[in-house]
Amino acid sequence: MKVAVIGTGYVGLVTAAILADFGNQVVGVDIDEEKIKTLQKGQTPFYEPGLSDLLLRNQGARRLIFTIDYSQAIPPAEVIFICVGTPSNERGEADLNYVFSAAKSLAPFLTEKAVVVIKSTVPPGTHLEVKKIIDKLTEVKYYLASVPEFLREGSALEDTLRPDRVIIGTDNKYAQKVLLDLHRPINGKRILTDVVSAQLIKYAANSFLASKISYANEIARLCDVYGADVMQVMEGVGEDKRIGKAFLHPGIGYGGSCFPKDVKAILAFAKKKEVELAVIAGAHRTNTTQVNYFIEKIKKHLGNLQNKKIGVLGLAFKGNTDDIRQSRALVLIKKLLEEKAEVYAYDPLAATSVKKFFPELRINYASNWQQVAKQAEALIIATEWNEFKELDLEELKRISQVKYIFDGRNILNPAKVKLAGFHYVGLGR
Ligand code: UDX
């Protein structure tokens, strides 16, 4: 099949690469000329395991090309995916300008029976706005659909190839058939819905997962005051199949490009229709106070943080990515700096982005955890990187003056840490 993918961020690039790998002819389009040049040179603009090889293989086979030219990408396409960003605006709503502008740009080049698929996360009803825009610019018969994406950064390829489900939201039988055909090589249950339901599934799923995390974080606070171990509690809770074990891992909160933005957006579009979402509002509130809660715990042990040398392990919003969008590690560091602490930090991948986008943060960067430890009197684990899970405690003891380990991701074994002669402080344990 001939496919165009508009937007070459995480969702767009992964979608384009995988569809090309199935043998489809795919054109990736973006307004960002620099990004397209990078891709044309065979480079990947961000880190995602396996993506670079997949892109190169399919570019080499000429099944995948990149352009800024809509007049090249759209006319041959039987299916067009809109995969542009929908960031939060100042009111917490999804900013739909990129979606509308993509619709405007593609409309003049649409050909008969093209299926336009909105993959960007958009509030229910957005397709009606998109339809208005396209209808003004073309006479051809086309179809609209919504196929939301559930990929996680760090496992984006696997999540796209083997998702739990593929949601195909369209009110048109022909478009449904085309999309079922296109998704045939992908595993996972097919769920056929109308467009609005597909759009809402995405927000409902993300806000549920975010609520699970905040729920675990609230129970962790309760465990702190009662002296229970939240990891045992969550194991006991998660074994109930109706609840499930995933996304019950306590920490300093959720970040990233999706959960914070989508939670705010669902609250905003519910409010517009005067629907109260108390559970989701609570989840959001808990997430925004979780870093403060952790800082207060740290201060109970260290007292005033002024001039204290604090080492922070992790800057990315989670492990296995260089993405720092809405990273809780950065929220934590900003607060430490406000408290006038001296901050030393290391991340396996994300330091370059922090230096570039937050040059005002007075962080002393290190190129490994040992360099951080040598400077610090206390260590904070802020991101759940694998390499921090088995921190060499003997080496830490040997090379540093560190006395406290504050585990903001509950990834260390407290008994081992204590045995090695450190004070261990996690969340709810
Ligand atoms: C998420 C969704 O999982 C994905 O389905 C959606 O399409 C996009 O948003 P992603 O942003 O890549 O994916 O990250 P995810 O792995 O879900 O983690 C989000 C945040 O929650 C991270 O900051 C992570 O540290 C935190 N988290 C996750 C927890 O604190 N506890 C958990 O148990 C799980």
Side-chain angles (χ1 to χ4, degrees), residues 149-153 202 206 209 213 247-249 253-259 317-318 384 409:
E149 183 56 66
F150 300 96
L151 61 83
R152 284 164 300 176
E153 291 179 20
K202 175 65 186 261
N206 271 2
L209 291 170
I213 298 169
F247 282 69
L248 288 180
H249 196 103
Y254 58 78
S257 64
C258 287
F259 286 170
F317 86 90
K318 66 173 188 180
E384 61 274 42
R409 292 291 172 185

Side-chain angles (χ1 to χ4, degrees), residues 27-43:
V27 185
V29 202
D30 205 296
I31 50 168
D32 184 340
E33 215 170 328
E34 279 310 304
K35 211 169 180 191
I36 291 297
K37 274 190 196 148
T38 305
L39 287 162
Q40 284 169 340
K41 277 189 262 171
Q43 293 161 0

